[in-house]
Amino acid sequence: MHPLAGSIAELVWLLPILPLIGFVINGAISLFTSFHAGPADPSAAHGEHDVAHAGHEAPDTHDEHAAPKRAPLHAIVTIVGPLVLLLAFGLGVAIFVAMPSHMATPFVKTFFAWMPVGTDLPIHWAFQVDQLSVMMVLFVTGVSALIHIFSVGYMGDDPGYARYFAFLNLFVAFMLVLVLGASYPVMFVGWEGVGLVSYLLIGFWFNDKANADAGTKAFIVNRIGDFGFLIAMFLIWSNVGTLDFSGVAAGVGSLPAGGPLLTTICLFMLLACTGKSAQIPLYVWLPDAMAGPTPVSALIHAATMVTAGVYLVARSSFLFSLSPVACLTVAVIGAVTALFAATIGLKQWDIKKLLAYSTVSKIGYMFIGVGVGAYVAGLFHVITHSFFKALLFLGAGSVIFGMHAAYHHTHSTEDAQDMRNMGGLRAYMPLTFVMMWIATLAISGIPIFAGFFSKDEILGSVIARAADSTLADVHWLGIPGSAVLYAVYVLALAGAFLTALYMTRMMLYTFHGPNRTGVEEQAHLHEAPPLLTFPVVVLGVLSVLGGIINLPAFLHLPAGWTGALDQWLAPVVGDATLHVTHGVAAETPHEVALVGLAIVVAIAGIVTAFVKLKPAALVPKRDAQPATGFERVLENKYYVDELYDRTVVTPVVAVSRSFLWKGIDAGLIDGVLVNGSAWFMRGLARSGSWLQTGQVGAYAWAIVIGVLAVLGAFTLR
Amino acid sequence: MPNGFVYEFLFYLFGLTAIVSAAIFVTRRNAVAAALWLVNTMFCLAALYIMMDAQFVGAIQVLVYAGAIMVVFLFVVMLLNLGLPPSVADIKSKGARIIALVAGLAMLAELLVLARQKLPAELPWLPRETSVTTPITEPLFRTYLLPFEITSVLLLVAIVGAVVLAKRRS
Amino acid sequence: MVPEALFFSAILFVIGVVGVLTRRNAIIIFMCVELMLNAVNLSFIGFSRLYGASGQVFVIFVMSVAAAEAAVGLAIIIAIFRHHETVDLKNINLLKGWCSNCPWPNRVECIRLPAPSPSWCGCCRYCR
Amino acid sequence: MREFLASIHYGAWVLPALLLIPLAGALIIVLQSAFSRDDSSLAAAPSARWIALITFLLEFAVSLGMWWAFDPGTVAWQFRVTHWWIPAWGASFDVGVDGISLFMVLLTTFLMPLSVLGGWTSVREKVRSYYALLLILTTGMIGVFLALDLLFFYVMWEVMLIPMYFIIGIWGGERRIYASIKFFIYTFLGSLLMLVAILYLWLHSVDTVTLSNSFSYDTIMQHAAFTSRAALWLFGAFFLAFAVKVPMFPFHTWLPDAHTEAPTAGSVILAGIMLKMGTYGFLRFALPLFPGAALTPWVRDTILTLAVIGIIYGALVAMVQPDFKRLVAYSSVSHLGFVMLGIYALTLQSVQGALMVMINHGISTGALFLLIGMIYERKHTRLIDAYGGIARVVPMFAVVLTLVSLSSIGLPGTNGFVGEFLVLVGSFKTHPWFTLFATSGVIFAACYLLWAIQRILFNKLDKPENALLRDLNARELVIVAVVTVAILWIGIYPAPVLRRMERSAQNFVQVVTSSPGARLASAPETGGSR
């Protein structure tokens, strides 16, 4: 009898259902209000107003008509949205509390059969409660609750308010299904569900083509990732025979370790992760995803959804640990993405785009962590990253909220998100300024902050495994494993330096130096309302204290404190981690020196930023000259989007239009075969009719010729 | 009456006159002249029938064919006053005529090739006292009774058809 | 004397065929057809000498058919003559299938009207 | 429920009743028109619509009984009714249902009331004959699914064809004549070859009881004797007839024309039910009767390649269609490529997946056509570029269109995913490479539908007349509600559907794979022990 059998864990189905109920209520309200607003919906008539805020962050239309619609419905949505999240968080905490400390086997709760086909593919709706899933549940519902509260203030007067909260609740529901799923198909439901909701939320202000394009692009790129997930599932099922995590974990021993099959499964799973977590080949959708509201970017594209890839690798650690080549690929992709995204981040002017590239880079770190087999380090970085990245986005949201209010009052059409229009906001937004500095220090990896502990643990684990692990023994594309891991370490360090650089650059341009918003706007620049600043403060606190979750050993603290997360996740990923390091706990050679190096690198990044950058020299966006040379390449993100567009999208569309449709379908099959045969018959008939001259003499001749032929036949016989 | 010389002579005489008059008939431009030459061919044929022990048919030939059908032809020619030759010759161009001749000769050659088979001996002549129509009665009214009845229907239909077609629309 | 009879019949038949192919006057063609029928009768009688009197019975049937045919044929010729005032078969092509772009109600063609244009397709008033 | 059905001897009369109810409805409409002098425009004959709707609802109610009365345990024909039809030829009126045909019939009776309700105001003139034809068409379709006698099957196949020809030809769009003639000739050509094959089979199968040739499916399955070369030709004939109907890749060009030109109800039926005739034909006739011929390597590989080409080709061409109906038509080519892949992979999962895709495609594509019909009635154009940004103007329509498109793309949790996942999982076991390419079809599916939806619902609301579109009225809301329930129910809890079809699918796989050789040596067929 499983220890959790009778306990609160039985209610685990309530976790996704609660946000789902929120979605249903809010969805009904949003449909009800817009359904009865009638075709002449006032906000639709403001078509021209949208043009002013082309493509950028604009809580759609601050038109005066929104005020009267603050009917009770609006209040219901305000209550239902965050309440449902808090309840879910409470239930999560209850389950966390009810869980015994050393629960060896996960508690799998099966509800009803989903796709029972024959005896060899019993797919059921089943949730799995173990340390990993509870940890994810806690941090997902926690961060979501905070962001919901932030959204109440931020999206307050947007006409699509109910619809926004409906989608946000739906997102949390699907995320919980993803995290709690007990088998790959159930996880896949959550996997594509979050993809769907991110499509809906990115294209939230769908009346602007750029936003709708970004949404569709996100869904299709995610779908390419899901293709990998499907193929991985088919490979697992046809070789292992089951798709449940426990079943696959048990059955994977039968496959040849490190063999081509296992590596292919893991590589396809990696393709899925790159799609969802925006890594090298399929990261292009994340920067465009900034077209959605800022809280959405904070929640989905910083804290929760993008970490789904890391969760997948951690959850299938039993597969990855058995195929070192795949693990090395994960680590390499993570490292390359980290550096690549960091370089682009240097020259971005839009504050949200900059944070997007910083997210891509930070997820690269997580992939390094789980890639080298240090699953706990990777997950630890997931948690701490969600704290300070959410804080950065919400801070940016407060800044944009203020800027937008200012520009709105003076009816100017300046871009509320461009750093060149900001500057010197320290005086106007002191609280946000302090919190943003905390987040910047955390993300750069300055000691006492959360970022330092998780990033340092990842870097340490890379070096530990470079020295002695199954990864080091194997060759990756001809290069020995250890060399690859050292290269990964160097890339990671370079990434850390650049991270510190561009984060400090952001702080300097936004908060320090002279204000470039404009004289009359400054009057309206003021601190964000309490609803917005409360979550920011909470996240600030978490960014500072986040480190205590998994304090490193070299601090020689009392027993209970060090490595809390290690012990917590040991039953789930423990043996996979040990397998990678030849069954012995990895310890980093001369660890303190490495930590020192990391700190020096971080501080160097901040100092160079202060020295090199001169915020005073900046000019507002409207009269900034276009950048030249390598700077322009960085600003245009290495032209990767244009490259994809020209090599993949346009040729496929052109080929299918001119060749497949017009060529084969209309031309070959329809033209030649179908209409062609019809034309041939017509021709045949027409030539036949030529014989009917109407002259009797001609018919006589025909008869005579016939007689001659017959007689001829007789004579020859 | 054995096939004496006189019999053969007469047979050839009538045969050749039939052919010559048929040839002339084909070349006459005047319809009436052509009709009369055809009547002459028919008379020669009637003679041949009689010489080949088909006296009744010979009589019918003269009576029905030459007498009735050709008279109708002449009657129609007179009705449509085609007597005088038309301004434009109704014979086709020289080229067409040559081709027609060639086709005719080819057909003749094929027929003659086919005719080279060995024919059985002739039947004995009818004894003098039997009446001319007895040999026909048995096949006509017993084996071929149905065709005989059908021809009567055919003739009825032809009469009605001819009247309807030729009647002047009111 | 039957082989000679068959020979004469063959020649008469061929003359009839040549007559049909060369002449354009409807009645003359009709007569040539009658000549061909007579040639056939001659060969029937020839064979009746060899195989018995049933040949003669056939001659009777041929004659009755020829009579019926003559009656109907001449009636047709008269009907054509009344409408077109000619029996020259060159101008009469009622049997022709009309070219596809002739509107149905105008299909009845009367050659008495002068041809509208040199490129007249000959099948109806309303061609090119 | 089962006791109540047993008490009224439900099994004995249900199938003939399913065939006769529509005919009775058609008769009523025709008789009713005979007595009233006025013309049959919509104003003059509103009753015709109501008679048709009530008949279809009655039909659906009767057929719903089968859901409970059906015994998932056995493989034998259920609710079987057999009467002599033409004893001289050995042809009998023989109808029966098993796991495969049960859901096809339910799908038909489910979609018919929806299509009539959907096309409520779209047909304005000659209304009586329109609804009479619809009713006769239903009899034809249900007859095809129930027929266990090859001649009866062929007759029903033709009975189904003619009304659809008129529906497209008379009430269709601009190029309706071209489309209906093309549709008719395409299908008719195929079915004639099938008739020849049926007659050949008839000649070569002697009924042990009556010692004469017989058309009955079971006799032919057990006693038909023909050489392997003959089997290849026979399979070729059946293949052509059904490939045109599926439609498989080279034979599909009639589908876009027929769909775009058909009226709303016509295209719903065409896509929802008539496309399943082809795949049903493969499942019932082509493969079980000639397993040897069907599984010869080169035949199997060509069909699989055609199926995969169909998936990718259909999706790619759908992406660039200016007309939304043609886009959905080409998407049907892609979806049915999955079905053929599933059928030919011959594993239990893939065959059950194929059946599920057939049902789900019927529901989601039928719903898509209904939605297009609704927007067509408001704006009278199907061109995607004529719309833009209407999500704010018609929010309910936007929500439903997005949901149905997601089910058509195969988002997990909706019905599309269940079918596609099972097909791909099943066929990966036997044909991994084919499945790899087929799975890429999943990506293209997302591309073409999402791009179309974006150009219709989202983007700028730049055309002022779009701002005056009315949202869905009550009638349309009923349809939309029913479709949404169906999509989500099958998506989340398909177990009862899968359980009912499992035994028949298993038997199909066992019949086809176990005895390719036996069928030829005229030894009594072991598998088909119906």
Side-chain angles (χ1 to χ4, degrees):
Chain A
M1 242 284 279
H2 195 282
L4 274 178
S7 70
I8 188 95
E10 295 289 342
L11 293 178
V12 73
W13 57 272
L14 206 57
L15 272 172
I17 296 298
L18 275 171
L20 212 59
I21 297 167
F23 160 69
V24 167
I25 296 170
N26 291 338
I29 291 172
S30 104
L31 267 182
F32 183 72
T33 47
S34 50
F35 193 63
H36 279 284
D41 184 325
S43 59
H46 277 254
E48 82 294 348
H49 193 80
D50 287 348
V51 171
H53 308 277
H56 272 283
E57 159 71 45
D60 198 53
T61 44
H62 276 280
D63 48 27
E64 294 63 29
H65 309 283
K69 265 196 286 180
R70 282 187 184 285
L73 291 179
H74 197 276
I76 295 173
V77 171
T78 320
I79 296 162
V80 163
L83 175 72
V84 156
L85 259 299
L86 290 173
L87 285 176
F89 182 68
L91 181 60
V93 167
I95 294 175
F96 170 73
V97 165
M99 278 180 72
S101 55
H102 290 295
M103 198 174 74
T105 59
F107 168 67
V108 177
K109 183 84 175 69
T110 313
F111 305 107
F112 51 87
W114 178 19
M115 285 193 275
V117 175
T119 52
D120 50 2
L121 182 62
I123 302 176
H124 301 285
W125 287 103
F127 283 156
Q128 173 165 324
V129 178
D130 63 5
Q131 288 79 357
L132 177 59
S133 61
V134 167
M135 179 195 83
M136 292 296 278
V137 161
L138 284 179
F139 115 79
V140 163
T141 43
V143 171
S144 310
L146 288 175
I147 288 175
H148 270 71
I149 295 163
F150 182 88
S151 311
V152 167
Y154 190 84
M155 297 292 280
D157 38 31
D158 185 299
Y161 184 71
R163 181 162 62 96
Y164 170 80
F165 265 101
F167 289 155
L168 220 57
N169 285 347
L170 184 63
F171 166 78
V172 177
F174 275 127
M175 190 67 196
L176 290 176
V177 166
L178 189 153
V179 164
L180 287 167
S183 63
Y184 281 106
V186 174
M187 181 174 176
F188 190 65
V189 171
W191 189 271
E192 285 225 11
V194 284
L196 161 72
V197 179
S198 82
Y199 159 74
L200 293 172
L201 278 171
I202 295 169
F204 181 67
W205 290 303
F206 50 75
N207 276 54
D208 184 350
K209 186 172 187 318
N211 299 351
D213 279 348
T216 315
K217 179 174 176 178
F219 193 88
I220 289 173
V221 172
N222 276 337
R223 193 82 178 171
I224 297 173
D226 302 344
F227 162 79
F229 199 117
L230 279 172
I231 300 289
M233 273 200 281
F234 303 150
L235 278 168
I236 292 171
W237 182 64
S238 50
N239 294 297
V240 175
T242 170
L243 282 171
D244 307 333
F245 294 136
S246 41
V248 175
V252 85
S254 62
L255 299 178
L261 179 68
L262 252 179
T263 317
T264 351
I265 294 178
C266 295
L267 286 181
F268 271 116
M269 229 174 248
L270 175 61
L271 175 66
C273 300
T274 55
K276 192 61 76 179
S277 302
Q279 291 303 290
I280 269 297
L282 300 174
Y283 75 95
V284 284
W285 64 274
L286 189 56
D288 294 355
M290 293 307 122
T294 313
V296 169
S297 318
L299 175 65
I300 296 178
H301 304 124
T304 45
M305 186 174 108
V306 284
T307 58
V310 181
Y311 169 76
L312 173 64
V313 173
R315 177 57 83 190
S316 356
S317 52
F318 41 79
L319 286 173
F320 277 87
S321 56
L322 287 174
S323 57
V325 170
C327 283
L328 278 176
T329 329
V330 170
V332 163
I333 285 196
V336 170
T337 314
L339 188 64
F340 179 77
T343 52
I344 297 177
L346 283 176
K347 278 295 171 237
Q348 289 302 324
W349 290 112
D350 181 324
I351 194 167
K352 287 184 70 178
K353 285 271 182 356
L354 183 131
L355 292 178
Y357 280 105
S358 128
T359 310
V360 172
S361 161
K362 283 301 156 195
I363 299 165
Y365 275 90
M366 299 176 210
F367 266 74
I368 296 173
V370 284
V372 296
Y375 300 103
V376 176
L379 290 169
F380 181 31
H381 197 58
V382 161
I383 296 172
T384 52
H385 173 265
S386 74
F387 293 151
F388 50 73
K389 187 46 61 66
L391 171 56
L392 279 170
F393 264 103
L394 295 191
S398 315
V399 165
I400 293 164
F401 188 80
M403 292 287 288
H404 187 73
Y407 281 131
H408 184 65
H409 278 295
T410 57
H411 295 293
S412 85
T413 59
E414 274 309 307
D415 182 351
Q417 295 186 356
D418 198 303
M419 285 199 285
R420 284 166 293 194
N421 297 344
M422 302 176 184
L425 295 182
R426 186 165 62 170
Y428 304 96
M429 298 183 176
L431 181 63
T432 315
F433 167 66
V434 169
M435 285 302 141
M436 290 288 266
W437 257 117
I438 292 174
T440 311
L441 293 177
I443 199 169
S444 316
I446 302 303
I448 57 159
F449 295 97
F452 162 71
F453 295 104
S454 53
K455 186 151 63 62
D456 163 62
E457 193 166 340
I458 290 176
L459 296 180
S461 58
V462 169
I463 293 300
R465 276 148 187 82
D468 149 40
S469 72
T470 55
L471 302 182
D473 317 339
V474 85
H475 282 268
W476 185 74
L477 300 182
I479 311 156
S482 48
V484 169
L485 287 173
Y486 283 121
V488 161
Y489 182 76
V490 166
L491 288 176
L493 263 191
F497 172 76
L498 290 177
T499 310
L501 190 66
Y502 65 69
M503 287 315 288
T504 325
R505 166 178 177 271
M506 180 197 80
M507 291 307 290
L508 288 175
Y509 286 152
T510 326
F511 291 97
H512 296 270
N515 178 280
R516 292 176 294 276
T517 321
V519 176
E520 62 284 350
E521 280 82 2
Q522 279 161 5
H524 303 287
L525 274 177
H526 38 69
E527 186 55 275
L531 260 178
L532 272 70
T533 45
F534 164 71
V536 165
V537 167
V538 169
L539 285 170
V541 166
L542 284 173
S543 303
V544 172
L545 305 178
I548 56 169
I549 295 176
N550 198 23
L551 294 174
F554 62 77
L555 290 179
H556 309 305
L557 292 167
W561 282 93
T562 57
L565 196 62
D566 283 333
Q567 284 120 29
W568 173 257
L569 289 176
V572 180
V573 290
D575 45 22
T577 324
L578 286 176
H579 180 80
V580 171
T581 55
H582 296 310
V584 69
E587 81 292 333
T588 329
H590 34 75
E591 192 172 0
V592 180
L594 288 175
V595 165
L597 174 64
I599 296 168
V600 161
V601 158
I603 292 167
I606 296 172
V607 164
T608 36
F610 268 97
V611 163
K612 291 279 289 178
L613 303 171
K614 289 175 283 309
L618 261 182
V619 284
K621 177 179 179 184
R622 57 178 175 279
D623 36 33
Q625 302 84 4
T628 55
F630 189 62
E631 222 177 84
R632 200 155 68 84
V633 168
L634 281 184
E635 202 163 296
N636 293 324
K637 37 195 182 347
Y638 294 98
Y639 299 105
V640 170
D641 281 339
E642 293 74 12
L643 178 74
Y644 277 175
D645 197 42
R646 193 164 303 116
T647 51
V648 175
V649 176
T650 351
V652 165
V653 170
V655 158
S656 45
R657 172 172 286 120
S658 56
F659 175 64
L660 286 184
W661 176 25
K662 291 283 190 305
I664 290 184
D665 214 66
L668 177 65
I669 298 176
D670 248 2
V672 170
L673 297 181
V674 173
N675 300 344
S677 52
W679 174 82
F680 172 71
M681 290 306 164
R682 239 175 95 82
L684 216 61
R686 181 176 298 281
S687 60
S689 72
W690 173 76
L691 291 173
Q692 309 292 342
T693 54
Q695 304 289 353
V696 177
Y699 299 150
W701 261 106
I703 297 169
V704 164
I705 291 163
V707 165
L708 283 176
V710 165
L711 291 178
F714 271 113
T715 51
L716 296 177
R717 192 171 51 81
Chain B
M1 183 169 87
N3 291 359
F5 168 74
V6 171
Y7 179 82
E8 279 182 18
F9 169 74
L10 283 177
F11 196 88
Y12 276 104
L13 176 68
F14 283 117
L16 289 178
T17 43
I19 289 167
V20 164
S21 60
I24 295 166
F25 149 71
V26 170
T27 48
R28 285 306 97 207
R29 291 181 52 245
N30 179 349
V32 174
L36 291 177
W37 277 110
L38 186 59
V39 164
N40 177 19
T41 332
M42 288 184 182
F43 284 152
C44 300
L45 284 178
L48 286 177
Y49 294 161
I50 292 165
M51 290 173 66
M52 285 202 275
D53 212 9
Q55 292 78 0
F56 173 72
V57 169
I60 295 290
Q61 166 87 351
V62 168
L63 203 65
V64 167
Y65 237 121
I69 296 176
M70 287 325 291
V71 163
V72 165
F73 268 99
L74 278 170
F75 192 72
V76 165
V77 164
M78 300 302 174
L79 180 68
L80 309 179
N81 62 40
L82 295 168
L84 36 92
S87 54
V88 159
D90 75 337
I91 300 174
K92 289 183 182 166
S93 65
K94 183 170 282 299
R97 267 186 279 139
I98 289 163
I99 299 168
L101 271 175
V102 164
L105 289 177
M107 190 181 292
L108 187 64
E110 284 175 355
L111 285 172
L112 295 183
V113 161
L114 284 173
R116 266 191 290 109
Q117 291 146 356
K118 215 185 69 47
L119 295 174
E122 291 189 12
L123 294 174
W125 300 96
L126 277 173
R128 179 175 295 285
E129 66 284 352
T130 54
S131 78
V132 167
T133 54
T134 40
I136 303 175
T137 48
E138 201 276 339
L140 186 61
F141 295 111
R142 199 160 280 111
T143 36
Y144 297 108
L145 180 63
L146 182 60
F148 180 75
E149 299 304 333
I150 289 175
T151 36
S152 60
V153 169
L154 178 74
L155 288 171
L156 174 68
V157 163
I159 295 162
V160 169
V163 165
V164 163
L165 276 172
K167 188 159 70 65
R168 182 177 297 279
R169 294 290 177 285
S170 56
Chain C
M1 297 305 291
V2 173
E4 289 73 11
L6 294 182
F7 176 71
F8 292 147
S9 150
I11 292 182
L12 282 175
F13 186 81
V14 164
I15 292 170
V17 163
V18 166
V20 163
L21 293 181
T22 46
R23 300 305 291 265
R24 271 210 297 273
N25 185 332
I27 295 184
I28 303 285
I29 289 178
F30 229 137
M31 289 184 204
C32 295
V33 170
E34 295 301 327
L35 175 64
M36 286 158 69
L37 287 171
N38 281 334
V40 168
N41 286 351
L42 177 62
S43 59
F44 265 126
I45 299 298
F47 283 117
S48 77
R49 281 296 297 142
L50 303 175
Y51 300 104
S54 51
Q56 296 169 20
V57 165
F58 265 92
V59 168
I60 292 169
F61 289 147
V62 165
M63 278 188 196
S64 59
V65 165
E69 176 222 339
V72 171
L74 290 174
I76 292 175
I77 289 171
I78 291 168
I80 291 178
F81 181 81
R82 179 178 301 118
H83 187 51
H84 295 290
E85 273 139 23
T86 165
V87 281
D88 184 338
L89 289 182
K90 180 165 67 63
N91 304 331
I92 299 165
N93 53 15
L94 281 175
L95 281 173
K96 176 160 174 41
W98 307 101
C99 66
S100 58
N101 50 24
C102 301
W104 179 248
N106 318 329
R107 285 255 176 106
V108 177
E109 179 266 341
C110 179
I111 55 112
R112 272 186 291 112
L113 307 175
S117 68
S119 68
W120 170 50
C121 86
C123 75
C124 70
R125 288 278 137 251
Y126 296 91
C127 283
R128 280 170 295 285
Chain D
M1 188 53 181
R2 285 175 71 93
E3 311 72 33
F4 162 69
L5 292 176
S7 65
I8 55 171
H9 305 296
Y10 179 75
W13 53 267
V14 62
L15 295 186
L18 285 181
L19 290 173
L20 293 178
I21 292 174
L23 285 184
L27 204 64
I28 295 168
I29 292 178
V30 166
L31 289 179
Q32 191 231 10
S33 72
F35 294 123
S36 61
R37 285 290 150 271
D38 48 28
D39 75 339
S40 66
S41 68
L42 187 60
S47 60
R49 268 186 326 193
W50 283 104
I51 295 171
L53 185 65
I54 293 157
T55 327
F56 282 133
L57 287 174
L58 177 68
E59 174 103 354
F60 180 58
V62 165
S63 69
L64 213 52
M66 282 203 292
W67 171 265
W68 287 282
F70 183 82
D71 165 15
T74 81
V75 165
W77 305 109
Q78 309 204 12
F79 318 125
R80 181 148 190 193
V81 171
T82 324
H83 296 288
W84 275 118
W85 176 21
I86 310 167
W89 298 348
S92 55
F93 168 83
D94 190 351
V95 281
V97 165
D98 76 342
I100 297 170
S101 47
L102 169 68
F103 289 104
M104 292 302 113
V105 172
L106 287 177
L107 179 69
T108 315
T109 50
F110 171 74
L111 277 182
M112 287 317 283
L114 286 182
S115 58
V116 165
L117 212 54
W120 199 246
T121 54
S122 62
V123 168
R124 293 251 182 274
E125 76 291 335
K126 293 196 273 291
V127 171
R128 286 205 186 82
S129 40
Y130 176 75
Y131 285 106
L133 281 173
L134 270 184
L135 287 160
I136 297 164
L137 179 66
T138 324
T139 317
M141 286 189 288
I142 294 179
V144 164
F145 286 127
L146 298 181
L148 296 182
D149 180 295
L150 284 170
L151 192 66
F152 183 65
F153 167 77
Y154 183 77
V155 165
M156 281 297 150
W157 183 277
E158 296 312 331
V159 158
M160 164 193 72
L161 207 55
I162 292 136
M164 184 42 92
Y165 169 74
F166 285 121
I167 287 175
I168 299 175
I170 298 170
W171 292 277
E174 309 77 25
R175 282 171 60 237
R176 56 180 182 279
I177 307 295
Y178 169 75
S180 55
I181 290 177
K182 188 170 175 181
F183 158 73
F184 190 80
I185 291 177
Y186 243 109
T187 326
F188 199 66
L189 190 68
S191 55
L192 280 184
L193 289 173
M194 182 169 69
L195 179 61
V196 168
I198 289 175
L199 292 179
Y200 183 94
L201 280 176
W202 173 67
L203 275 172
H204 284 75
S205 69
V206 177
D207 191 327
T208 48
V209 168
T210 60
L211 286 177
S212 70
N213 302 89
S214 110
F215 280 104
S216 116
Y217 180 73
D218 299 334
T219 334
I220 290 176
M221 274 293 279
Q222 280 153 15
H223 302 302
F226 36 75
T227 63
S228 67
R229 248 170 52 73
L232 211 57
W233 285 105
L234 292 173
F235 177 75
F238 272 99
F239 168 77
L240 198 63
F242 297 138
V244 162
K245 215 60 177 124
V246 165
M248 290 189 75
F249 166 64
F251 311 108
H252 67 284
T253 47
W254 61 274
L255 184 71
D257 293 331
H259 273 219
T260 30
E261 304 312 330
T264 319
S267 47
V268 168
I269 298 160
L270 201 62
I273 306 157
M274 292 181 80
L275 296 191
K276 313 307 179 289
M277 304 282 174
T279 44
Y280 171 76
F282 275 108
L283 278 168
R284 176 72 75 218
F285 297 103
L287 267 79
L289 286 175
F290 322 100
L295 293 186
T296 35
W298 68 272
V299 169
R300 187 190 56 208
D301 290 345
T302 23
I303 292 180
L304 277 174
T305 339
L306 284 183
V308 171
I309 293 174
I311 293 173
I312 296 171
Y313 174 84
L316 281 180
V317 174
M319 206 190 307
V320 288
Q321 292 301 328
D323 181 331
F324 197 38
K325 253 189 173 181
R326 284 185 80 90
L327 183 142
V328 177
Y330 275 110
S331 83
S332 309
V333 174
S334 180
H335 280 289
L336 286 157
F338 276 109
V339 175
M340 285 312 295
L341 178 70
I343 290 174
Y344 244 84
L346 287 174
T347 58
L348 179 62
Q349 283 72 23
S350 71
V351 170
Q352 286 216 330
L355 286 166
M356 282 308 286
V357 171
M358 282 157 80
I359 298 169
N360 300 333
H361 174 266
I363 294 171
S364 44
T365 311
L368 267 179
F369 275 118
L370 285 172
L371 288 169
I372 300 170
M374 293 172 196
I375 198 87
Y376 182 78
E377 262 161 57
R378 288 169 171 69
K379 214 168 134 47
H380 293 294
T381 170
R382 292 188 296 269
L383 292 179
I384 295 177
D385 305 333
Y387 299 94
I390 61 171
R392 183 176 300 284
V393 178
V394 276
M396 185 58 85
F397 175 81
V399 165
V400 176
L401 182 63
T402 318
L403 176 75
V404 172
S405 308
L406 291 175
S407 114
S408 176
I409 292 171
L411 186 85
T414 64
N415 60 355
F417 174 73
V418 174
E420 260 166 41
F421 179 76
L422 286 177
V423 163
L424 294 173
V425 156
S427 43
F428 195 87
K429 226 173 170 55
T430 45
H431 303 282
W433 287 106
F434 283 113
T435 319
L436 194 68
F437 289 108
T439 319
S440 70
V442 161
I443 305 171
F444 297 125
C447 298
Y448 66 75
L449 260 179
L450 281 188
W451 194 22
I453 284 182
Q454 181 195 330
R455 283 179 290 165
I456 290 179
L457 295 181
F458 305 124
N459 289 353
K460 189 135 271 330
L461 184 67
D462 41 19
K463 301 176 186 65
E465 70 274 10
N466 283 352
L468 308 172
L469 290 173
R470 279 176 300 96
D471 208 336
L472 304 184
N473 57 32
R475 168 178 62 90
E476 287 158 349
L477 279 177
V478 164
I479 304 171
V480 150
V482 167
V483 160
T484 318
V485 163
I487 286 177
L488 293 178
W489 175 59
I490 293 181
I492 293 168
Y493 186 56
V497 177
L498 288 168
R499 200 157 40 81
R500 279 173 173 70
M501 61 170 75
E502 190 165 327
R503 286 287 289 127
S504 306
Q506 214 160 20
N507 181 54
F508 165 75
V509 170
Q510 198 244 333
V511 157
V512 176
T513 46
S514 71
S515 61
R519 156 106 339 275
L520 308 179
S522 80
E525 166 56 48
T526 51
S529 60
R530 283 286 191 312

